[in-house]
Amino acid sequence: MACQERLPTSFRAKIEQPLPQEVFNKMAMYDIDQYAPIMMRFFKEENIAEIWKQNRSGVFVLVISYNICKWSGQLGPKYREGDFQAPEGFYTIQANQMNPYSKYYLSFNIGFPNLYDRIHGRTGSYIMVHGACSSVGCYSMNDRNMAQIYAFARDAFRGGQKEFQLHAFPFRMTDANMQRHHANPHYKFWKMLKEGYDFFEINRKPPRISVYDKRYIFDHFTNKASVAVAL
């Protein structure tokens, strides 16, 4: 983002697209500043990407949901390079992971493998959220929606957010859905993801996420100004 002024005019125009007026109207309704911190949640089974922003009282509010155009593989985590699986878990995106030069319109790297993935021997690289509605292991949006997702991240970074969380789930982790998938071989892993899902559902604030004894741990931030993943 620091080199933004050096981008060719065509790239600058692409990454500077404003959010739609209806999005600004909703943010005003919920007392949300344009440059406030964000977080994202992706749900494979529902094909939904959610964008949440922090309001002036510190609570995160769902601003908009987008259809995921394509994601690769089946329900379940990514294990190895070349398995064409879109990851599941908790990821951190910083400004240097944003890519205005993407051949898939616009993109950002989600940061797979994170610490949890590496501890479990999971491999892969260049796992993106991108446009162009095509996927070989990524989460792909249509270009219009990708431009808006990129704009949310752009504005949050300009507002001072150092990194934001992306929570990638196989489905909405409700008790009913967990029961429906009880026999799935990934159920134990999903029970752990549900702890992070429930934390956010209850608190409406991203948890502080760390890894201990080969599992995710979720806790409150002691510094309310900090919104990050310790991965």
Side-chain angles (χ1 to χ4, degrees):
M1 303 297 283
C3 298
Q4 179 180 310
E5 295 304 319
R6 300 179 184 176
L7 290 173
T9 302
S10 59
F11 286 99
R12 287 205 305 272
K14 187 166 60 171
I15 68 172
E16 292 298 336
Q17 295 178 73
L19 289 165
Q21 186 59 48
E22 56 265 30
V23 171
F24 285 113
N25 292 344
K26 185 166 185 179
M27 289 194 292
M29 182 187 309
Y30 288 102
D31 197 25
I32 300 170
D33 183 82
Q34 176 182 351
Y35 301 101
I38 63 167
M39 69 159 290
M40 302 182 186
R41 299 199 304 179
F42 282 37
F43 299 95
K44 286 180 175 177
E45 192 170 58
E46 293 83 359
N47 290 309
I48 291 294
E50 296 180 343
I51 310 298
W52 296 71
K53 281 184 75 71
Q54 188 180 49
N55 68 14
R56 288 182 174 86
S57 67
V59 174
F60 279 71
V61 176
L62 178 61
V63 175
I64 193 168
S65 297
Y66 299 103
N67 289 328
I68 299 172
C69 191
K70 289 185 180 179
W71 54 269
S72 294
Q74 308 296 321
L75 299 184
K78 181 175 182 63
Y79 286 105
R80 64 190 64 86
E81 184 89 52
D83 65 5
F84 301 107
Q85 276 287 116
E88 296 170 4
F90 302 92
Y91 298 93
T92 305
I93 293 86
Q94 299 178 342
N96 62 7
Q97 292 165 243
M98 308 296 290
N99 181 15
Y101 297 106
S102 175
K103 65 180 180 180
Y104 299 104
Y105 189 63
L106 292 166
S107 68
F108 60 82
N109 190 315
I110 74 167
F112 179 93
N114 63 19
L115 178 58
Y116 176 90
D117 298 319
R118 296 193 300 273
I119 287 174
H120 288 270
R122 298 177 181 177
T123 59
S125 56
Y126 304 109
I127 306 300
M128 307 283 179
V129 174
H130 61 70
C133 195
S134 63
S135 177
V136 287
C138 300
Y139 289 97
S140 180
M141 319 299 295
N142 67 38
D143 290 350
R144 175 182 176 275
N145 291 347
M146 188 63 217
Q148 293 184 27
I149 291 172
Y150 198 97
F152 275 109
R154 173 200 69 207
D155 289 351
F157 288 134
R158 287 178 178 172
Q161 188 174 17
K162 301 301 183 185
E163 54 193 22
F164 67 86
Q165 295 183 11
L166 188 156
H167 300 180
F169 296 112
F171 44 79
R172 294 194 183 278
M173 313 296 281
T174 62
D175 291 341
N177 280 342
M178 292 298 292
Q179 181 60 36
R180 183 163 56 90
H181 291 282
H182 182 77
N184 192 288
H186 302 302
Y187 183 77
K188 184 177 179 181
F189 173 68
W190 290 343
K191 279 186 68 177
M192 180 177 55
L193 297 190
K194 180 172 167 55
E195 294 176 25
Y197 174 90
D198 288 344
F199 184 103
F200 182 75
E201 287 291 301
I202 293 168
N203 296 286
R204 286 294 189 256
K205 295 180 181 180
R208 180 172 61 89
I209 305 174
S210 55
V211 177
Y212 178 76
D213 197 23
K214 296 187 176 182
R215 72 183 317 277
Y216 286 116
I217 302 295
F218 308 95
D219 199 1
H220 292 272
F221 280 101
T222 55
N223 177 5
K224 293 183 179 179
S226 177
V227 179
V229 180
L231 298 178

